Structures are given as C-alpha cells and as structure tokens.
Amino acid sequence: MRTIDWNDENSTIIMVDQTLLPAEFKVIECDTVGSLCEAIWSLRVRGAPALGAAGGFGIALAALQSSADSMETLFDDLHKVGNIIKSTRPTAVNLAWGVDRVLDAARDAYDTDGMLRILLLEAKAIADEDVELNKRLGAHGAALLNDSDTVLTHCNAGRMACVDWGTALGVIRSAVEMGKEINVIACETRPLNQGGRITTWELMEDKIPVTLITDSMSGHVMQQGMIDSVIVGADRITQDAVFNKIGTYTHSVMAKEHEIPFYVAAPVSTFDFENMEDQVEIELRNGDELRFLGGKQIAPLDVQVYNPAFDATPMEKVTAIITENGVFRPPFLLDEVKYKN
Ligand code: MRU
C-alpha cells in the first residue's frame, strides 16, 4: 500500500505508522485533524513529500467535517486549520505547500459542495503525482550511478518518506531496476533512527544490499574509499542551502573533503527560492528524544538538550540536485529547475 492515502469508504486518512517500523507494519486511520496533527508531530507520517500529501488530505478532511454554511466561512475556517497543520512541522516546506495547493485549487469552486469535491480531488492529485514524479526523478538520478557503486544515504528518503518509491532511495531503486548493482551504506540517523529503522528495512524488502553505520562513522567510511557518492533527500531548498535531517551537513563536509559527489534528490515542490537560509525556522524537538532510547533512559533526566531536527547544507557543498525535471548543477536557477525537461 501507499505510505499515506485517502480512505473513500470512511472519508478518513490512512497511513503506515512509521514509529513502529521495522518491528511492526501497522496501518492507522486519522479521522480528525487533531489526530492527523498528532501523527505528523510524532512522525507516524514523516518525510517531506509524504507530508505534502498529509497537508492536502488534512484540508480535505477538515472541509468534509466542517459545519460552515457559506463558501467564505468555509474558506476562513480552512485557512485557520491550514495554519495549525503547517505549524506541526515548520521546516519541511512540502507540508505548507500541500495545504496551500489544495486551498488555492478550491478558489475555482462555485459553491461549498464544489469546494469539497475540488479539495479532495486536488489532495488525491498530490498523492498520485508524487508517485509519478519520484519515478521520473529516479530515472534521471540513476544515470549518475555506475554499476557496483556504493552510495551513502542519511535518514529515510524512501517510499516511506513519500507516497511511494522515494527520492534518494528512488534513485537507487531506479538504478537497480536498470540492472545496476548498487550497495547502500545507511546512516543510523540519531536521535529517531529513521535510517536504521526505515531505510534498512525498505532496502532489505527490495533485496538491495545495505549496511548500517552510525552517523559518526561517515567520515571514516569515506576516508577508507568505501563510498562512491552520497545521495540525500531534502525538506526545503532555499537559494543558498539544502535543509535536511540533522547530520546531513556533516556528511556534506566530509564528502567535499574526500572529493565524493554529494547529490540531493527532491521534487520541485521542495524548492523555496523565495527564502534564504537564515529566514527558515529549524524545528526544535523534545529533549527526551535524546534522554531516552526505546523507552530506556540513556542520559540524566535533567540534562540540558539541544535537539534540532534539521540542518542546512550550503549550496557550495552540493554537486547536483536531482528533480523530476532533470539533474541540475550549480548555479541552481529556479526557472530552469521548474521548467526544464
Ligand atoms: O524528521 P523526518 O523523518 O521527517 O525527516 C525526513 C528527512 O529529513 C528526509 O530526508 C526528507 O524529508 C526527504 S524525504 C524524501
């Protein structure tokens, strides 16, 4: 099944609960915006493109449950709901993009019934397009990989981070589909271990060879000549930086030092060229994510913790950005990225 989808029978959002992976594959249902926000905040659904779909479906759900009796009131209510959904994860731009895209589409409606129909159709379109875009992105990126390459990746930019297929892992999947043998080194991705829990599981399901390392081993494996390229996803791409899971910046510095290509794989919807790095809010998460591991205390309960979810990799560290429209090398120009095929 897809990572996140709309359940037509119950008019609810269904998703894989990623907090339980890899021990358990469980599908959960969100029947209120509150439960969706909880699922986003606690990372039951996560990854920029999957959050884009979550934002769209969230607005459709809110509209269906609204008691507003005019288009104007409904619009106002949905804008408020949209702001609440967006605030759950401020760095990943696709969440806000998904909310805004469905709201914009509903402007064409003539009445509230039409609005409901358009909102749901647009949310479903985001999900359908994501799968198709990732396949195109994957095919473009696969051309950068050689047979027998070893690729280092961070966090999870696979099918669980998208509606299906994946961005960074989509590139690897497409290369394998083309007949190339690709080995993956997956960084654990502390503190929530998306790499150790989800990337390894996804790749093993697909029988793609994967080796797990801790985040702090990336410099060592690059120094040992074990890595041919690094491919990561992105949560937001500003004019001057790529925001991705905390730890990505460190890998980019190491890759530059060892002259290893550092690729970013992301759909055009992740670009935010209206902003610069210093205008982006980096999500700060609860310190207990570092004080506990799997429910076990691993640090003093009252230790001060700094827990940013993302970091910013300066553009000069990026060899190329892979999108559904092709592979782009610096300087990255938004018009080219958006329209080139
Ligand atoms: O906190 P997460 O797990 O949502 O962070 C996800 C990432 O950093 C991914 O690399 C990014 O969203 C790209 S997913 C295709």
Side-chain angles (χ1 to χ4, degrees):
M1 77 164 268
R2 290 179 169 187
T3 303
I4 179 163
D5 213 343
W6 182 261
N7 180 346
D8 276 313
E9 213 171 295
N10 300 348
S11 292
T12 53
I13 303 165
I14 48 172
M15 61 181 73
V16 177
D17 184 345
Q18 298 188 42
T19 60
L20 304 175
L21 291 172
E24 193 183 345
F25 185 93
K26 186 177 172 190
V27 177
I28 54 167
E29 197 160 12
C30 292
D31 55 5
T32 61
V33 172
S35 62
L36 174 68
C37 288
E38 190 281 331
I40 296 172
W41 171 247
S42 55
L43 272 57
R44 296 183 203 288
V45 61
R46 47 150 297 280
L51 291 176
F57 285 140
I59 293 295
L61 182 66
L64 285 171
Q65 295 180 349
S66 166
S67 51
D69 52 6
S70 74
M71 278 189 48
E72 210 173 45
T73 337
L74 182 54
F75 239 128
D76 282 354
D77 288 354
L78 293 181
H79 267 282
K80 285 182 198 137
V81 171
N83 287 336
I84 294 170
I85 296 175
K86 288 177 188 180
S87 68
T88 53
R89 299 212 69 191
T91 313
V93 74
N94 292 64
L95 180 59
W97 169 86
V99 166
D100 291 339
R101 175 168 156 178
V102 293
L103 286 175
D104 283 350
R107 282 181 211 288
D108 295 338
Y110 292 111
D111 54 25
T112 47
D113 282 350
M115 246 174 101
L116 299 187
R117 258 197 317 277
I118 292 177
L119 288 166
L120 186 55
L121 279 176
E122 194 68 15
K124 287 181 174 180
I126 291 179
D128 291 344
E129 280 170 25
D130 184 62
V131 184
E132 192 247 322
L133 294 183
N134 288 335
K135 293 266 173 116
R136 270 164 52 201
L137 183 158
H140 288 303
L144 298 168
L145 302 184
N146 296 313
D147 192 28
S148 302
D149 269 2
T150 298
V151 177
L152 181 138
T153 191
H154 189 66
C155 195
N156 171 262
R159 63 164 51 103
M160 285 294 133
C162 302
V163 177
D164 204 348
W165 200 246
T167 56
L169 296 195
V171 170
I172 291 163
R173 285 198 167 98
S174 297
V176 170
E177 215 177 52
M178 283 163 71
K180 296 179 186 179
E181 186 198 310
I182 305 293
N183 298 288
V184 180
I185 301 268
C187 294
E188 186 181 33
T189 319
R190 284 283 292 143
L192 295 178
N193 292 43
Q194 292 92 327
R197 293 186 301 109
I198 308 174
T199 294
T200 52
W201 170 78
E202 270 196 32
L203 292 171
M204 287 172 78
E205 288 260 300
D206 282 6
K207 307 212 172 349
I208 296 174
V210 57
T211 304
L212 176 64
I213 61 169
T214 67
D215 304 336
S216 55
M217 292 174 191
S218 75
H220 172 73
V221 293
M222 290 189 207
Q223 193 183 41
Q224 294 292 308
M226 292 166 66
I227 307 296
D228 296 295
S229 61
V230 177
I231 311 182
V232 294
D235 287 88
R236 186 187 291 247
I237 302 175
T238 58
Q239 281 185 47
D240 53 347
V242 172
F243 289 80
N244 193 48
K245 177 54 57 192
I246 190 75
T248 303
Y249 167 62
T250 316
H251 303 320
S252 79
V253 174
M254 283 297 142
K256 186 101 179 169
E257 170 71 17
H258 296 286
E259 295 177 8
I260 294 167
F262 183 90
Y263 299 122
V264 174
V268 173
S269 53
T270 304
F271 282 72
D272 172 25
F273 268 30
E274 281 166 23
N275 285 307
M276 303 294 277
E277 181 197 331
D278 57 5
Q279 290 163 286
V280 175
E281 178 185 347
I282 292 193
E283 173 187 331
L284 285 179
R285 296 188 61 86
N286 196 309
D288 281 353
E289 291 181 350
L290 273 76
R291 296 187 193 99
F292 293 89
L293 184 60
K296 190 177 179 319
Q297 186 188 335
I298 54 164
L301 288 181
D302 51 356
V303 69
Q304 193 171 307
V305 167
Y306 176 53
N307 185 17
F310 303 101
D311 60 24
T313 296
M315 280 305 185
E316 80 247 16
K317 302 279 187 284
V318 178
T319 309
I321 302 180
I322 307 158
T323 79
E324 65 272 29
N325 290 338
V327 175
F328 299 89
R329 294 180 189 267
F332 302 108
L333 304 172
L334 188 59
D335 278 352
E336 262 189 49
V337 173
K338 263 186 170 168
Y339 305 115
K340 191 182 145 190
N341 245 309

